[in-house]
Amino acid sequence: MNATDKTWPWKLLLAVILIGVAAGTWGAVQRIDYQWRWNRVPQYFAYLAEEARKVPFDGKVTAIVPQGKDVLVTLVAGKSEKIVLTVSADSLKVKEGEELFAGDTVGFEKSWRLGPLMLGLWTTLWLSAVSSLFGLFLGLITGLARVSKNFTIRWLALLYVECIRGTPLLVQIFIAYFFLGTVFNLSRNVCGVGALALFAGAYVAEIVRAGIQSISKGQTEAARSLGMTAFQTMRDVVMPQAFKRILPPLSGQFISLIKDSSLVSVIAITDLSKSGREIITSTFATFEVWLLVAAMYLLVTSLLSQLVFYMERRLAVSD
Amino acid sequence: MIKAQNVVKIFSGQSGVVRAVDGVSTEVAKGEVVVIIGPSGSGKSTFLRCINGLEAFTEGHIIIDGVDLADKKTNINKVRAEVGMVFQQFNLFPHKTVLENLTLAQCRVRKRSKKVAEEKARMLLRKVGIHEKADEFPSRLSGGQQQRVAIARALAMDPKIMLFDEPTSALDPEMVGEVLDVMKQLAKEGMTMMVVTHEMGFAREVADRVIFMDEGKVVEVGTPEHFFTNPREERAKLFLKQVL
Ligand SMILES: Nc1ncnc2c1ncn2[C@@H]1O[C@H](COP(=O)(O)OP(=O)(O)OP(=O)(O)O)[C@@H](O)[C@H]1O
Ligand SMILES: [Mg+2]
């Protein structure tokens, strides 16, 4: 008997449950009066922007040269002033030889732009990436400090970790922005990244500490008994072994940081969730936008999980 | 070579204060093999660990090749490079191959080039009889093989002294012999050795001197013949009756 024989009833059950949940949700939504407007959504990913091209001075159109979908309009005033404007061919409003005044519209230039959802996603991504990097650095140092022999260093690290882990991230972001930001005159991005990095750092520190302490004391003793210094022992013996163990919780921490980064929207950083909120104020497509925003977070986090899963398998060689 | 003077090691934990080593004095000459025996908890391991500074002793002096470990100016890493240690649990580096286990400290501490270190490593692996496993990870080796690698790893540093803390206690019985053979060979070559072991056969055959410890103190010292046939102390007699 093979495995698929045994699991198919459970797969069927899973499918039935999922369909049931979907149908239930659908039914519930039908009962309230909500107008779905999915067609309004794509423009928030990318849109065709039209920008008016205007004449900067009084002058005359001397040439109109087609170039693909666009035309190049050459304007001349007097002897010295000359300008070439690019506009989309179907929006051209002037003829060759026409006299124009400053401020007249020659036509529109059309180009694809990323919509607010994509810009927000980008903000979320770089914000998480930069804070993860700083958080990793901070966490490594703090984690090592947590197992230091020096009392002061150990307690400083412990205090930092406890303060961060004992307070909500939202409050930390407020403190970073309204208190530290004001006192030290920091921009909101610096405050956002700083708060997230400090937050991640405390959790990374605990992961690193647990990883180091999970490596048996015998490893350190063996290395030290060979005459290796404490630093060499940490670098060549303990950390490489600890790293393999901390990779899964570490990546989990960074994946949650992507989600937690949505809280920086409270200090008006336009990340993915803030973009979502802004779009809703102009479209009232509340359901669609939040569902999409959630899907986008989910996409990013699950891609990352896959990547980590792949890396873990590669690392599992020596055992 | 090793001179211990009135060494005391006190552990103070939640469960109170333990005098794990309580005034041990002994001397080990160059080329001498000293076996330490005694009941569990008598402080054998602790004393051995004091000798290479894995445990900082509370009182007394340990002088190795003229260097006093109690002296704050002593560079303990330099001393340790001269004192090899073999542990009960092997403690090989699991993320490194057998060869890398032997070359790491050579390169880091002795500052040897990779090539020189590898040559030395292969020579030692041949000596302990596992050169064909050089590129395996330790987890692929049997216990006896791992312990021989651990001995080779310590020897790679060209130590003047070798310390063994129950090197065969974690092994399956059929593997004990292969490790003891390596140790006997080493003793024959004139290595200075201190061995904590429950292998009385080994003590009888190889030891120049047997030290019997109990409750942190040296209770009796003597040649194997004297110790195994005619011990003076009651405690030693009792112990021997249990283990022999
Ligand atoms: N790190 C420690 N902290 C507190 N007490 C310790 C520590 N290490 C050893 N001891 C205590 O010191 C005493 C001596 O221990 P030690 O390990 O040296 O004995 P041993 O002779 O090696 O015994 P065994 O044959 O079981 O290995 C014991 O009472 C033990 O509980
Ligand atoms: Mg012991």
Side-chain angles (χ1 to χ4, degrees):
Chain A
M1 202 205 271
N2 77 40
T4 48
D5 283 345
K6 271 200 218 161
T7 56
W8 74 261
W10 300 111
K11 285 183 181 160
L12 191 68
L13 181 62
L14 177 67
V16 168
I17 291 174
L18 290 180
I19 291 170
V21 169
T25 313
W26 176 252
V29 172
Q30 289 305 300
R31 298 222 323 253
I32 63 164
D33 186 26
Y34 185 79
Q35 182 133 38
W36 292 90
R37 298 187 185 88
W38 284 107
N39 60 329
R40 289 205 185 163
V41 170
Q43 56 173 318
Y44 294 106
F45 284 96
Y47 61 95
L48 199 56
E50 287 195 348
E51 222 174 306
R53 287 277 170 263
K54 295 186 175 171
V55 193
F57 44 70
D58 296 352
K60 192 178 169 189
V61 179
T62 57
I64 296 180
V65 186
Q67 193 184 61
K69 279 187 179 170
D70 295 334
V71 288
L72 303 178
V73 181
T74 311
L75 292 148
V76 173
K79 285 200 182 75
S80 54
E81 287 188 289
K82 186 182 165 197
I83 190 173
V84 181
L85 296 172
T86 309
V87 301
S88 135
D90 54 13
S91 71
L92 185 64
K93 289 196 186 327
V94 296
K95 290 192 289 287
E96 203 169 325
E98 202 173 320
E99 294 281 352
L100 297 173
F101 300 104
D104 282 357
T105 301
V106 176
F108 295 91
E109 187 174 27
K110 291 184 181 170
S111 60
W112 282 99
R113 299 273 173 80
L114 286 178
L117 278 179
M118 292 310 278
L119 293 177
L121 179 65
W122 168 244
T123 305
T124 289
L125 288 180
W126 77 251
L127 205 64
S128 318
V130 175
S131 351
S132 292
L133 215 65
F134 282 115
L136 180 65
F137 185 68
L138 202 62
L140 264 176
I141 294 183
T142 313
L144 287 169
R146 287 277 277 121
V147 296
S148 160
K149 281 205 193 99
N150 183 296
F151 178 88
T152 314
I153 293 177
R154 214 168 51 232
W155 271 85
L156 276 176
L158 182 66
L159 280 176
Y160 158 56
V161 169
E162 288 305 315
C163 285
I164 296 290
R165 299 209 311 172
T167 52
L169 177 57
L170 187 60
V171 175
Q172 291 164 18
I173 290 172
F174 282 139
I175 291 177
Y177 184 58
F178 292 111
F179 175 56
L180 298 177
T182 311
V183 174
F184 297 106
N185 195 19
L186 305 169
S187 79
R188 66 176 92 248
N189 279 347
V190 171
C191 292
V193 167
L196 288 176
L198 279 171
F199 176 77
Y203 286 87
V204 170
E206 281 308 277
I207 292 169
V208 169
R209 180 194 57 76
I212 290 173
Q213 288 178 338
S214 78
I215 303 303
S216 87
K217 243 179 89 203
Q219 290 291 309
T220 311
E221 291 184 347
R224 297 307 304 271
S225 78
L226 291 163
M228 291 170 70
T229 62
F231 175 77
Q232 289 169 337
T233 302
M234 202 38 106
R235 186 192 57 189
D236 297 327
V237 176
V238 178
M239 281 314 251
Q241 293 182 60
F243 182 72
K244 223 191 276 181
R245 291 193 195 170
I246 65 185
L247 189 65
L250 204 58
S251 42
Q253 184 59 47
F254 290 139
I255 289 171
S256 14
L257 191 66
I258 294 178
K259 298 177 285 168
D260 293 337
S261 74
S262 64
L263 286 174
V264 297
S265 57
V266 296
I267 57 171
I269 293 177
T270 313
D271 72 328
L272 182 51
S273 54
K274 178 119 194 302
S275 303
R277 213 161 353 154
E278 284 175 0
I279 294 167
I280 288 164
T281 56
S282 56
T283 61
F284 304 106
T286 317
F287 292 10
E288 295 88 333
V289 171
W290 284 130
L291 289 174
L292 257 176
V293 166
M296 286 168 79
Y297 277 112
L298 189 62
L299 184 73
V300 173
T301 52
S302 44
L303 280 178
L304 265 174
S305 301
Q306 284 301 311
L307 185 75
V308 172
F309 178 69
Y310 175 76
M311 265 168 68
E312 270 167 41
R313 267 201 321 205
R314 295 286 309 263
L315 265 173
V317 184
S318 74
D319 28 53
Chain B
M1 185 118 274
I2 306 175
K3 194 192 250 176
Q5 290 172 338
N6 207 18
V7 176
V8 177
K9 171 67 190 180
I10 299 174
F11 287 112
S12 35
Q14 291 104 320
S15 52
V17 173
V18 184
R19 294 179 80 88
V21 179
D22 196 0
V24 172
S25 299
T26 189
E27 265 185 63
V28 182
K30 192 169 191 302
E32 202 179 10
V33 177
V34 173
V35 169
I36 305 175
I37 59 177
S40 183
S42 56
K44 309 178 298 286
S45 299
T46 307
F47 178 56
L48 211 61
R49 290 157 58 80
C50 285
I51 292 175
N52 73 351
L54 281 183
E55 218 72 76
F57 44 95
T58 320
E59 272 172 49
H61 294 274
I62 293 177
I63 296 154
I64 293 172
D65 220 11
V67 181
D68 189 351
L69 296 194
D71 189 343
K72 285 209 167 60
K73 290 195 285 283
T74 298
N75 179 350
I76 190 68
N77 293 325
K78 273 208 176 117
V79 177
R80 283 179 180 145
E82 308 294 336
V83 182
M85 177 126 184
V86 175
F87 301 87
Q88 185 176 347
Q89 301 295 343
F90 329 136
N91 295 343
L92 293 179
F93 307 135
H95 61 303
K96 300 206 171 280
T97 64
V98 166
L99 193 72
E100 289 164 348
N101 263 276
L102 268 70
T103 52
L104 177 65
Q106 288 193 68
C107 296
R108 292 284 185 269
V109 181
R110 291 283 191 226
K111 308 287 179 213
R112 289 176 189 153
S113 71
K114 194 165 170 236
K115 187 162 165 287
V116 172
E118 280 186 2
E119 256 164 44
K120 175 110 200 163
R122 287 189 194 281
M123 188 269 283
L124 284 166
L125 286 175
R126 211 167 297 125
K127 183 172 164 177
V128 299
I130 25 181
H131 51 283
E132 77 281 7
K133 303 277 187 193
D135 298 315
E136 298 273 12
F137 284 99
S139 55
R140 304 284 299 270
L141 271 56
S142 74
Q145 290 172 329
Q146 292 192 43
Q147 192 60 298
R148 283 184 283 153
V149 172
I151 295 174
R153 179 177 67 180
L155 290 175
M157 300 298 288
D158 294 316
K160 293 181 183 140
I161 301 159
M162 285 285 284
L163 308 176
F164 296 83
D165 189 2
E166 305 198 27
T168 57
S169 296
L171 296 177
D172 292 336
E174 70 269 21
M175 293 173 184
V176 170
E178 64 193 56
V179 172
L180 290 181
D181 286 343
V182 170
M183 292 168 64
K184 284 176 197 167
Q185 178 66 28
L186 211 53
K188 222 180 277 169
E189 289 167 11
M191 175 62 77
T192 311
M193 292 163 61
M194 286 187 87
V195 186
V196 174
T197 184
H198 293 302
E199 294 294 327
M200 294 305 149
F202 175 84
R204 205 178 289 211
E205 187 185 335
V206 184
D208 296 308
R209 195 149 42 100
V210 176
I211 295 177
F212 176 74
M213 280 181 75
D214 194 15
E215 295 183 342
K217 293 191 170 68
V218 175
V219 175
E220 187 157 358
V221 185
T223 60
E225 299 93 81
H226 157 79
F227 186 79
F228 287 108
T229 53
N230 191 18
R232 260 190 336 265
E233 296 288 328
E234 250 347 279
R235 276 187 281 180
K237 280 181 195 160
L238 199 68
F239 176 76
L240 283 176
K241 218 161 60 198
Q242 281 164 357
V243 296
L244 287 179

Coordinates of all heavy atoms in Angstrom, one line a residue, chain A residues 216-219 221-229 232 235-237 240-241 318-319, chain B residues 49 52 54 77 80 83 87 91-96 104-105 108-109 137 139 153 157:
Chain A
S216 N 27.7 22.0 22.8 CA 28.1 21.4 24.1 C 29.4 22.1 24.5 O 30.2 22.5 23.7 CB 28.3 19.9 23.9 OG 29.6 19.6 23.5
K217 N 29.5 22.2 25.8 CA 30.7 22.8 26.4 C 32.0 22.1 26.0 O 33.1 22.7 25.9 CB 30.6 22.8 28.0 CG 30.5 24.1 28.6 CD 30.3 24.0 30.1 CE 31.7 24.0 30.8 NZ 31.6 23.4 32.2
G218 N 31.9 20.8 25.7 CA 33.0 20.0 25.3 C 33.7 20.5 24.1 O 34.9 20.4 23.9
Q219 N 32.9 21.2 23.2 CA 33.5 21.7 22.0 C 34.4 22.9 22.3 O 35.5 23.0 21.8 CB 32.3 22.2 21.1 CG 31.5 21.1 20.5 CD 32.4 20.3 19.4 OE1 33.0 20.9 18.5 NE2 32.4 19.0 19.6
E221 N 35.8 23.4 25.2 CA 36.9 22.9 26.0 C 38.0 22.2 25.1 O 39.2 22.4 25.3 CB 36.5 21.9 27.1 CG 35.7 22.6 28.1 CD 35.2 21.6 29.3 OE1 35.4 20.4 29.1 OE2 34.8 22.1 30.3
A222 N 37.5 21.5 24.1 CA 38.4 20.8 23.2 C 39.3 21.9 22.4 O 40.5 21.8 22.4 CB 37.7 19.9 22.2
A223 N 38.6 22.9 22.0 CA 39.3 23.9 21.2 C 40.3 24.7 22.1 O 41.4 24.9 21.7 CB 38.3 24.9 20.6
R224 N 39.8 25.0 23.3 CA 40.7 25.8 24.2 C 41.9 24.9 24.7 O 43.0 25.4 24.8 CB 39.9 26.3 25.5 CG 38.8 27.2 25.2 CD 39.2 28.5 24.4 NE 40.3 29.2 25.0 CZ 40.1 30.2 25.9 NH1 39.0 30.6 26.3 NH2 41.2 30.9 26.3
S225 N 41.6 23.6 24.8 CA 42.7 22.7 25.3 C 43.8 22.6 24.2 O 44.9 22.2 24.5 CB 42.2 21.4 25.7 OG 41.9 20.6 24.6
L226 N 43.4 22.9 23.0 CA 44.4 22.9 21.9 C 45.2 24.2 21.9 O 46.1 24.4 21.0 CB 43.8 22.6 20.6 CG 43.2 21.2 20.4 CD1 42.2 21.2 19.2 CD2 44.3 20.2 20.2
G227 N 44.9 25.1 22.7 CA 45.6 26.4 22.8 C 44.9 27.5 22.0 O 45.4 28.6 21.8
M228 N 43.7 27.2 21.4 CA 43.0 28.3 20.6 C 42.5 29.3 21.6 O 42.1 29.0 22.7 CB 41.9 27.7 19.8 CG 42.4 26.8 18.7 SD 41.1 25.8 17.9 CE 40.2 27.1 17.0
T229 N 42.5 30.6 21.1 CA 42.0 31.7 22.0 C 40.4 31.6 22.0 O 39.8 30.9 21.2 CB 42.4 33.0 21.4 OG1 41.8 33.2 20.1 CG2 43.9 33.2 21.3
Q232 N 39.1 32.7 18.6 CA 39.2 31.6 17.6 C 38.2 30.5 17.8 O 37.6 30.0 16.9 CB 40.6 31.0 17.6 CG 41.7 32.0 17.1 CD 43.1 31.5 17.4 OE1 43.3 30.7 18.3 NE2 44.1 32.0 16.6
R235 N 34.8 31.7 16.7 CA 34.7 31.8 15.2 C 34.8 30.5 14.5 O 34.1 30.3 13.6 CB 35.9 32.8 14.8 CG 35.8 33.1 13.3 CD 37.0 33.8 12.8 NE 38.2 33.0 13.1 CZ 39.4 33.4 13.0 NH1 39.7 34.6 12.6 NH2 40.4 32.6 13.2
D236 N 35.8 29.7 14.9 CA 36.0 28.5 14.1 C 35.3 27.2 14.6 O 35.1 26.3 13.8 CB 37.5 28.1 14.1 CG 38.4 29.2 13.5 OD1 37.9 29.8 12.5 OD2 39.5 29.5 14.0
V237 N 34.9 27.2 15.8 CA 34.3 26.0 16.3 C 32.8 26.2 16.7 O 31.9 25.5 16.3 CB 35.1 25.5 17.6 CG1 34.4 24.3 18.2 CG2 36.5 25.1 17.1
P240 N 30.2 28.3 13.7 CA 29.7 27.6 12.5 C 28.7 26.5 12.9 O 27.8 26.2 12.1 CB 31.0 26.9 12.0 CG 32.1 27.8 12.6 CD 31.6 28.3 13.9
Q241 N 28.9 25.9 14.1 CA 27.9 24.9 14.5 C 26.6 25.5 14.9 O 25.5 25.0 14.6 CB 28.4 24.0 15.6 CG 29.6 23.2 15.2 CD 30.1 22.3 16.4 OE1 29.4 21.5 16.9 NE2 31.4 22.6 16.8
S318 N 26.9 18.0 6.5 CA 27.9 17.3 7.4 C 27.3 16.4 8.5 O 28.0 15.8 9.2 CB 28.8 18.3 8.0 OG 28.2 19.0 9.0
D319 N 25.9 16.4 8.5 CA 25.4 15.4 9.5 C 24.4 14.4 9.0 O 24.3 14.1 7.8 CB 24.7 16.1 10.8 CG 24.1 17.5 10.5 OD1 23.3 17.6 9.5 OD2 24.5 18.4 11.1
Chain B
R49 N 41.9 18.7 34.9 CA 41.5 19.9 34.1 C 42.2 21.1 34.7 O 42.3 22.1 34.0 CB 40.0 20.1 34.2 CG 39.2 19.0 33.4 CD 37.8 18.8 33.9 NE 37.0 20.0 33.8 CZ 36.5 20.5 32.7 NH1 36.5 19.8 31.6 NH2 35.8 21.6 32.8
N52 N 45.6 21.8 32.7 CA 45.7 22.7 31.5 C 44.8 23.9 31.6 O 44.5 24.5 30.6 CB 45.4 21.8 30.3 CG 44.0 21.5 30.1 OD1 43.2 21.7 31.0 ND2 43.7 20.9 29.0
L54 N 41.7 24.4 32.2 CA 40.3 24.4 31.9 C 39.5 24.7 33.1 O 38.4 25.2 33.1 CB 39.9 23.0 31.3 CG 40.2 22.7 29.9 CD1 39.7 21.4 29.5 CD2 39.7 23.8 29.0
N77 N 47.0 30.1 26.9 CA 46.9 29.5 25.6 C 48.3 28.9 25.2 O 48.3 27.8 24.5 CB 46.5 30.5 24.6 CG 45.1 31.0 24.8 OD1 44.3 30.2 25.3 ND2 44.9 32.3 24.6
R80 N 48.6 25.6 27.1 CA 47.7 24.6 26.6 C 48.2 23.9 25.3 O 47.9 22.8 25.1 CB 46.3 25.2 26.4 CG 45.5 25.4 27.6 CD 44.2 26.0 27.3 NE 43.4 26.2 28.5 CZ 42.6 27.3 28.7 NH1 42.5 28.2 27.7 NH2 41.9 27.4 29.8
V83 N 50.2 21.1 26.2 CA 49.5 20.1 27.1 C 48.3 19.6 26.3 O 47.3 20.2 26.2 CB 49.1 20.6 28.4 CG1 48.5 19.5 29.3 CG2 50.3 21.3 29.1
F87 N 39.4 13.7 25.9 CA 38.2 13.7 26.7 C 37.5 12.4 26.6 O 37.6 11.7 25.6 CB 37.3 14.9 26.3 CG 37.9 16.2 26.4 CD1 38.6 16.7 25.3 CD2 37.8 17.0 27.5 CE1 39.2 18.0 25.4 CE2 38.3 18.3 27.6 CZ 39.1 18.8 26.5
N91 N 34.8 14.8 21.9 CA 34.7 16.3 21.5 C 35.4 16.6 20.2 O 36.0 17.7 20.1 CB 35.3 17.1 22.7 CG 34.5 17.0 23.9 OD1 33.4 16.6 23.9 ND2 35.1 17.4 25.0
L92 N 35.2 15.8 19.2 CA 35.7 16.2 17.9 C 34.8 17.3 17.3 O 33.6 17.4 17.8 CB 35.7 15.0 16.9 CG 36.7 13.9 17.3 CD1 36.5 12.7 16.3 CD2 38.1 14.4 17.3
F93 N 35.3 18.1 16.4 CA 34.5 19.1 15.8 C 33.6 18.5 14.7 O 34.1 18.1 13.7 CB 35.4 20.2 15.3 CG 36.4 20.8 16.3 CD1 37.7 21.0 15.9 CD2 36.0 21.1 17.6 CE1 38.6 21.5 16.8 CE2 36.9 21.5 18.5 CZ 38.2 21.7 18.1
P94 N 32.3 18.5 14.9 CA 31.5 17.7 14.0 C 31.3 18.3 12.6 O 31.0 17.7 11.7 CB 30.1 17.6 14.7 CG 30.1 18.8 15.7 CD 31.6 19.0 16.1
H95 N 31.6 19.7 12.6 CA 31.4 20.4 11.3 C 32.6 20.3 10.4 O 32.7 20.9 9.3 CB 31.0 21.8 11.5 CG 32.0 22.6 12.3 ND1 32.4 22.2 13.6 CD2 32.6 23.7 12.0 CE1 33.3 23.1 14.0 NE2 33.4 24.0 13.1
K96 N 33.7 19.7 10.9 CA 34.9 19.6 10.2 C 35.3 18.2 9.9 O 35.0 17.3 10.7 CB 36.1 20.3 11.0 CG 35.8 21.8 11.2 CD 37.1 22.5 11.4 CE 36.8 24.0 11.4 NZ 36.6 24.6 10.1
L104 N 43.2 22.3 12.2 CA 42.7 23.6 12.6 C 43.6 24.3 13.6 O 44.1 25.4 13.4 CB 41.2 23.5 13.2 CG 40.6 24.8 13.8 CD1 40.4 25.8 12.7 CD2 39.3 24.5 14.5
A105 N 43.8 23.7 14.7 CA 44.7 24.3 15.8 C 46.1 24.4 15.3 O 46.8 25.4 15.7 CB 44.6 23.5 17.1
R108 N 46.0 27.6 13.4 CA 45.6 28.8 14.2 C 46.6 29.1 15.3 O 46.9 30.2 15.6 CB 44.2 28.6 14.8 CG 43.1 28.6 13.9 CD 42.7 30.0 13.4 NE 41.5 29.9 12.5 CZ 41.6 29.7 11.2 NH1 42.7 29.6 10.6 NH2 40.4 29.6 10.5
V109 N 47.1 28.0 16.0 CA 47.9 28.2 17.2 C 49.4 28.1 16.8 O 50.2 29.0 17.2 CB 47.5 27.2 18.3 CG1 48.4 27.5 19.5 CG2 46.0 27.4 18.6
F137 N 33.5 13.0 7.8 CA 33.1 13.7 9.0 C 33.1 12.8 10.2 O 32.8 11.6 10.0 CB 31.7 14.4 8.8 CG 31.8 15.6 7.9 CD1 31.4 15.5 6.5 CD2 32.2 16.8 8.4 CE1 31.5 16.6 5.7 CE2 32.3 17.9 7.5 CZ 31.9 17.8 6.2
S139 N 31.1 12.1 12.5 CA 29.9 11.3 12.7 C 29.8 10.0 12.0 O 29.0 9.1 12.3 CB 28.6 12.2 12.4 OG 28.7 12.6 11.1
R153 N 44.6 14.4 17.1 CA 44.4 15.9 17.1 C 45.2 16.6 18.2 O 45.8 17.6 17.9 CB 42.9 16.2 17.3 CG 42.6 17.7 17.4 CD 41.1 18.0 17.5 NE 40.6 17.6 18.8 CZ 39.3 17.7 19.2 NH1 38.5 18.3 18.3 NH2 38.9 17.4 20.4
M157 N 49.7 19.0 17.9 CA 50.2 20.2 18.4 C 51.7 20.0 18.9 O 52.3 20.9 19.5 CB 49.4 20.7 19.5 CG 47.9 21.1 19.1 SD 47.9 22.3 17.9 CE 48.3 23.7 18.9

